Amino acid sequence: MRMKENTILCPGVFLDRDGTINEERGYITRVEELSLLPHSAEAIRLLNRLGLKAVVVTNQSGVARGYLTEERLREINGYMERLLREEGAGLDGVYYCPHHPLYGNENYRQNCFCRKPNPGMVFRASAYFLIDPKLSYIVGDKEEDIELAIRIGAKSILVLTGMGRKTLQNGTSPSYAADHLLDAARWIENDLTVSRNQGNL
Ligand SMILES: [Mg+2]
Ligand SMILES: [Zn+2]
């Protein structure tokens, strides 16, 4: 990615979807199966107020596996965005990986660069929104989210919703373990203040 030398890049927050913003329900294949976790809208409103881009990056191998179409996935993502918007919370973007290395037809069965913990979705969003991944935060409930953060030099927040407690039990080293997404957003707010006072931002 090439940038003009004087382009100022900002921090961003990359959010996992299932188990982080909405209830973990295995493969969600219909809008009726998606419900927001209690603190999600307030958390994203806080990120909005802080002026941070809030971008969803989600692995959705259910598409490769044939459980839902990409069209249906976009409908479900749109429904999530609408539920949040009704509570005054705005997502700046929703990126998904429909692939899987082992399952699906040749369109979807591939070792792609976008499936977390690979950084493809973060890099694509960062180029679009002028985000510096190294100044950014990854929030999710699985080891792949923490690993993604490590790979790109971002800070990682494990939320203890969804699969988060299990992930913690299995052993992981996030920058912070948050009770839920709002706790994560508040930690980010504080961490940004510390970084600014240290002159890192
Ligand atoms: Mg998840
Ligand atoms: Zn992919």
Side-chain angles (χ1 to χ4, degrees), residues 116-156:
K116 296 183 290 186
N118 293 326
M121 292 187 284
V122 168
F123 285 173
R124 203 146 47 89
S126 293
Y128 185 80
F129 292 109
L130 303 182
I131 289 169
D132 183 347
K134 289 190 174 60
L135 299 176
S136 296
Y137 303 86
I138 308 286
V139 187
D141 66 328
K142 288 191 179 171
E143 182 57 25
E144 67 204 23
D145 300 301
I146 309 307
E147 173 66 22
L148 166 61
I150 292 167
R151 290 193 190 181
I152 64 172
K155 286 176 181 167
S156 58

Side-chain angles (χ1 to χ4, degrees), residues 54-124:
V55 180
V56 171
V57 291
T58 176
N59 284 354
Q60 294 294 332
S61 73
V63 174
R65 296 167 194 263
Y67 300 159
L68 74 169
T69 62
E70 234 177 300
E71 188 183 13
R72 175 65 68 78
L73 173 60
R74 281 195 288 266
E75 183 190 338
I76 293 166
N77 288 341
Y79 177 68
M80 171 188 65
E81 290 190 270
R82 195 159 69 245
L83 289 179
L84 288 167
R85 212 179 306 124
E86 282 169 4
E87 296 191 56
L91 291 171
D92 293 284
V94 179
Y95 293 71
Y96 62 85
C97 165
H99 309 116
H100 193 279
L102 302 176
Y103 302 104
N105 67 32
E106 59 275 18
N107 291 330
Y108 292 119
R109 190 179 59 238
Q110 48 174 284
N111 278 309
C112 63
F113 191 56
C114 44
R115 183 175 166 79
K116 296 183 290 186
N118 293 326
M121 292 187 284
V122 168
F123 285 173
R124 203 146 47 89

Side-chain angles (χ1 to χ4, degrees), residues 137-143 146 155-161 163-169 171-188:
Y137 303 86
I138 308 286
V139 187
D141 66 328
K142 288 191 179 171
E143 182 57 25
I146 309 307
K155 286 176 181 167
S156 58
I157 302 169
L158 180 74
V159 282
L160 298 178
T161 49
M163 306 294 284
R165 289 192 184 277
K166 201 173 172 193
T167 302
L168 192 62
Q169 281 164 13
T172 185
S173 303
S175 310
Y176 180 61
D179 286 335
H180 43 65
L181 192 52
L182 180 57
D183 186 20
R186 286 175 177 152
W187 187 84
I188 290 169

Side-chain angles (χ1 to χ4, degrees), residues 25-44:
R25 296 247 169 91
Y27 294 99
I28 291 178
T29 58
R30 299 179 303 141
V31 290
E32 295 81 17
E33 294 165 348
L34 185 136
S35 51
L36 297 178
L37 284 161
H39 299 88
S40 294
E42 189 179 352
I44 292 164

